[in-house]
Amino acid sequence: YDKRGWDSGFIGLLRQSKILRKNNYDLAIVPHRSLRSAALVRFARIKRRISFDKSTGRWLYTELVHYEPFSHEISRNLSLLAKLEFSVDKKEYPRLYPSFHDRKKVGHLLTENGIQHIGQLIAVAPGSVWNTKRWLKEGYATLIEKLTAKGFHVILIGGNDDIDLCKQINLAVPSKHVYSVAGKLTFLQSAELINRCKVLISNDSAPMHIAAAVKTV
C-alpha cells in the first residue's frame, strides 16, 4: 500500500479497499490509529473491525479496545485480541540473527579501529527519516565529546542518507575514539554492531528498534 506514491489520496484508498474487498475478509484487527486505516477496512466492507478507542476513525469500527498509553507496544497491540476471547501469555519480542559472515565483518571492523574492549563501545545513530524527530547534531557532538572524555569509544551508525550527518558530527568532536560506519554496513551487520555495544543513543528511528531486537539498552 504505497500511500505516499501510487496509492496516495482518496482514489488510492478506494483502490486498495477494492482489492481487500475481493478477498472477502471476515475480520480486520487494526493497531494503527489513523483515519486512513479505519476508512480502508470500512470501505473494504469487512464486517468485523477491531481497533483502539483512541483511533481517529474509531466510529468506523465495530468494536473498540481501551488504549493503554503506558503499556509496551507489543502488549498494547496484543490487547486487541481480547475481543476474540483469547490472550497471549508469552510475549516474544522481535529478534534478529546476524550470520557468521556478519559477525566476522563487524569483528574485523572493530579490530581495524583498535577497539578491543566491547564494554567501552557506545553506538550513536543521529539520523531519522523525520527531521522533527532528530536531536540537533550539536547536541550529539557535545554528548559524544563527554563520552570520549570518560574513556568510551563512540561509533556513529546509519544508512547512506546519514553519511554526511555522521561525518559532520565526527569532525565536530576532536577525538580519535569516534568512528563513522554510516553506509558501510548491511542491516544485519548493523544489528551485530549494536549487539556488541554497551548502549545505543538514537532518535526514534530504525536503529532503536534494532537495539531492542538484539537486547541492547
Side-chain angles (χ1 to χ4, degrees), residues 60-177:
L60 293 172
Y61 292 106
T62 59
E63 298 166 74
L64 297 173
V65 174
H66 174 64
Y67 179 87
E68 177 51 64
F70 300 108
S71 176
H72 190 281
E73 185 76 6
I74 291 176
S75 300
R76 183 164 54 236
N77 288 341
L78 287 174
S79 71
L80 291 169
L81 300 177
K83 289 293 183 179
L84 303 180
E85 298 182 356
F86 72 88
S87 61
V88 179
D89 296 325
K90 188 177 181 181
K91 299 177 178 63
E92 291 290 344
Y93 291 80
R95 292 286 175 262
L96 291 172
Y97 303 94
S99 67
F100 170 78
H101 173 73
D102 296 323
R103 296 192 295 271
K104 186 176 180 180
K105 167 78 174 181
V106 172
H108 283 319
L109 183 150
L110 296 178
T111 300
E112 290 172 0
N113 287 286
I115 303 173
Q116 298 178 348
H117 303 291
I118 302 302
Q120 296 178 327
L121 185 60
I122 292 178
V124 173
S128 175
V129 174
W130 307 104
N131 289 330
T132 53
K133 292 186 176 182
R134 286 188 181 186
W135 192 25
L136 296 176
K137 60 184 178 182
E138 292 81 7
Y140 276 113
T142 299
L143 175 60
I144 292 171
E145 190 169 0
K146 292 181 179 180
L147 291 172
T148 54
K150 291 182 176 293
F152 290 105
H153 291 256
V154 175
I155 192 155
L156 293 157
I157 64 174
N160 291 327
D161 294 337
D162 304 313
I163 293 175
D164 186 57
L165 174 61
C166 289
K167 182 179 180 181
Q168 291 179 41
I169 294 174
N170 198 349
L171 292 173
V173 182
S175 173
K176 62 180 181 179
H177 296 314

